[in-house]
């Protein structure tokens, strides 16, 4: 925890972000998504478009064995049921044993008591490589907010930054707070990604799929903060490109899949806005 | 039940429909959808596009507490499972206690015995603000038909009107019968909405999402018949606009989300065809 | 099993494929899909676009009674849960009793022990009319491979042909092995369909929906090998048409639904490449 240890070992510049995309595509990581039924299709299509390999094995019998061979695991709390929560436990436990990075997206945590306990129980297995949420969720997770009433946040990313930093240090993880400007921190370093488009908030799973993308990058990038940054940059730069060809949230979502498939590392490096 | 009580307290004219859209967008109601896994994504995207806030909390532990804070609740019987039916009971019970309107979409009722009993059990908590179905479902619900074999109707809306009226009176609810011309009744008053496009029947959830939209409007409109009318008008007028830019059911669904996002109250008032 | 019995009773030429599409549309078969939550929407939209009637009844109480009245049944092992597996048993048992064709898509079989046992148990009720899988899955099903790690295949269709032939003979079924060139066999006859587009592998459910289409054709075509051929031809020719209008996997999926709706039997006959 001394000062030198907080110096980035991988420079978080625009070139590194482009290289991380190339590396991720080169590996085509197998990402197991234990996610909600609303966004499962969108999440799989985002991963397929960008060049990763999704699998949604989420039953209690198979989730653990599958996580043992997956390259990355996403746990998203959007629509948990008793069986899928049991599957999450199996997957997180197996991922921890295998040293496989897992990403936690604590949708709706804080406002809903049952899933808040589920999150606490999951963290007992191992810390996630990354936690991704909107400001309300991060505040609630860190004990400082209500979590809002629904999947939408009532706070700004800036407001959740201190909570995010504390959370990152407590669990030795990266915390990614979504917003107009995304804030990513490992508790010491901070990266702001200032790309994106408002239509992302009008596509269900707009944020959830980013969690899956983070698992894909975490599987192929040594520095988890760079993984979070490259995933966010890839998704939000592709969103900007897509918005230019769209007439509303419907055509935007379609164009986003096209953009994710065609975005190349050089274009990503040129367009990402890091602060 | 005397004649004067059947006089509309809110005039169901085209201007009122446009005003209801503006009011709904102004409130951005939180709509909890307990719906089927096939249409959950489409339903959420329809609500997001039109300016409402969807949440799909559908587990037995959280559905009740969430309904207590939601602005409207949708219960759709498309793919019920034991756990989601338990969640429906919790949600309907909590909505009733909180005075929150809930919408019932009895998909496949009549033809399938188990879900028909589920519907009867749910009605024991409280009457829904609105019931939405195709003619086969409304006839079966009212005890006069088989419910068809699948989600598609074999009867015309006109044929289910008497059954719908009786159902509306019995349960003190609005009954919306979908068809080429949608028929909406509170048991006394009748509104026909003659907009729409045949491609709506080739998009899965074409009707289910309308149920969610009705919950959004019921949350922000005093007269539930106006809520049903405004939801139907918004959805079917947007469908007409979308069809002009589409080449088939795939591009139609995409354009419909765009249209729902851009449709303004004035355009709605001009284009809705009420009879 | 004598030589003459292997002579096709329906000629598997391009004209027969077009006629099978016309016949399928004429009947608009009701296809019950017990499939995974990731692809349920896509599968329903594919069936609706092409002119069939989907229903996703997949709970243990209703799946059997519904299969007794459906025209065809799809069982897809993508995301099995305890309840949906119970529903599969009910559906397969009822389909067998009613003489209704069912299609098995053993997603991920071989690599995952639990679902591999589920498949064995389902086969105890009756043989499916068709089995559809990628080469890894067919090899694993036949006992000769690992099934891969995820939904994507690591083998070529050609490599799984012998395993597919053996499987077809053992179970008296059609085996369809997907790939750049699809290989379809009843154990004796072999049909290769050489249409398609690589973007199909970047749309989740790209293969799963083809299984549902096979159930639709099996419900309306006497020769199950012709059913498998016509389904594959319809889907992959529509994919080629769609690819001409698309800029990536997102717009391709949308255009594919449009193409499926507009493809006519004559165009299908002209464009299908049978080998």
């Amino acid at each position: 925890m001394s000062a030198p240890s907080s110096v980035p070992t991988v420079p978080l510049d625009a070139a590194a972000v482009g290289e991380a995309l190339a590396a991720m595509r080169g590996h085509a990581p197998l990402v197991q998504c234990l996610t909600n039924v609303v966004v499962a299709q969108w999440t799989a299509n985002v991963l397929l478009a960008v060049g990763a390999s999704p699998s949604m094995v989420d039953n209690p019998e198979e989730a653990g064995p599958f996580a043992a061979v997956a390259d990355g695991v996403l746990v998203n709390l959007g629509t948990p049921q008793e069986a899928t929560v049991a599957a999450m436990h199996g997957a997180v436990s197996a991922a921890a044993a295998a040293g496989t990075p897992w990403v936690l997206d604590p949708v709706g945590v804080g406002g809903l008591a049952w899933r808040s306990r589920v999150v606490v129980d999951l963290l007992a297995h191992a810390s996630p490589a990354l936690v991704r949420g909107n400001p309300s969720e991060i505040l609630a997770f860190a004990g400082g907010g209500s979590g809002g009433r629904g999947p939408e946040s009532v706070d700004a990313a800036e407001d959740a930054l201190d909570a995010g930093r504390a959370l990152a240090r407590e669990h030795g993880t990266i915390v990614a707070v979504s917003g107009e400007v995304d804030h990513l921190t490992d508790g010491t370093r901070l990266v702001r990604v200032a790309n994106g488009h408002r239509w992302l908030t009008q596509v269900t799973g707009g944020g959830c799929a980013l969690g899956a993308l983070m698992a894909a990058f975490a599987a192929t990038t040594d520095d988890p903060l760079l993984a979070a940054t490259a995933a966010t940059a890839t998704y939000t730069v592709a969103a900007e490109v897509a918005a230019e060809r769209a007439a509303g949230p419907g055509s935007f979502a379609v164009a986003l899949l096209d953009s994710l498939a065609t975005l190349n590392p050089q274009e990503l490096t040129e367009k990402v806005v890091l602060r």
Side-chain angles (χ1 to χ4, degrees), chain A:
Chain A
M1 294 296 171
S2 58
S5 74
S6 73
V7 175
T9 51
V10 177
L12 292 179
D13 58 21
V17 164
E19 285 158 22
L21 173 59
M24 191 278 289
R25 284 211 181 115
H27 285 86
L30 177 61
V31 181
Q32 181 183 9
C33 302
L34 298 107
T35 191
N36 68 78
V37 293
V38 190
V39 308
Q41 175 183 288
W42 172 250
T43 302
N45 279 336
V46 163
L47 289 176
L48 286 169
V50 84
S53 179
S55 180
M56 266 64 183
V57 177
D58 66 348
N59 65 67
E61 303 283 345
E62 300 175 328
F66 196 85
V69 299
D71 298 314
V73 174
L74 167 71
V75 173
N76 173 301
L77 267 289
T79 58
Q81 298 283 353
E82 196 182 345
T84 50
V85 167
M88 289 172 188
H89 278 286
V92 168
S93 171
T100 302
W102 70 286
V103 173
L104 174 65
D105 192 335
V107 182
V109 81
L112 293 161
W114 183 63
R115 68 183 64 191
S116 301
R117 284 195 303 275
V118 168
V119 166
V120 170
D121 292 346
L122 288 172
L123 291 173
H125 296 289
S127 283
L130 301 104
V131 177
R132 194 211 76 79
N134 64 36
S136 295
E137 289 156 356
I138 298 303
L139 281 168
F141 193 4
S146 72
R149 291 194 308 165
E152 283 170 65
S153 186
V154 293
D155 305 282
E158 198 78 38
D159 301 334
L161 186 54
D162 286 344
R165 274 207 188 96
L167 205 58
R169 282 188 194 133
E170 182 186 347
H171 295 285
T173 189
I174 305 297
V175 173
V177 191
S178 62
E180 223 173 300
V181 174
D182 291 273
H183 288 58
L184 317 170
T185 181
D186 62 2
T188 307
R189 294 178 295 172
L190 171 69
V191 180
R192 291 190 187 89
V193 183
N195 300 91
H197 193 275
R198 68 180 170 83
W199 278 331
L200 271 178
T201 65
Q202 281 187 286
V203 177
T204 194
C208 298
L210 177 51
L213 211 50
M214 286 181 180
F217 277 92
T220 57
T221 313
D222 282 338
D223 179 350
L225 183 57
L226 176 58
T229 304
T232 304
T234 297
Y235 197 61
T236 56
V237 168
E240 289 178 357
V241 174
E244 288 167 18
R245 298 198 301 258
S251 49
F252 167 73
V254 173
L256 178 49
L257 294 176
D258 289 353
S259 296
L260 285 166
T262 53
L263 183 71
N264 63 57
Q266 189 184 331
E267 191 184 357
L268 177 59
T269 294
E270 285 166 12
K271 294 190 173 169
V272 65
V273 179
L274 300 176
R275 283 180 192 163

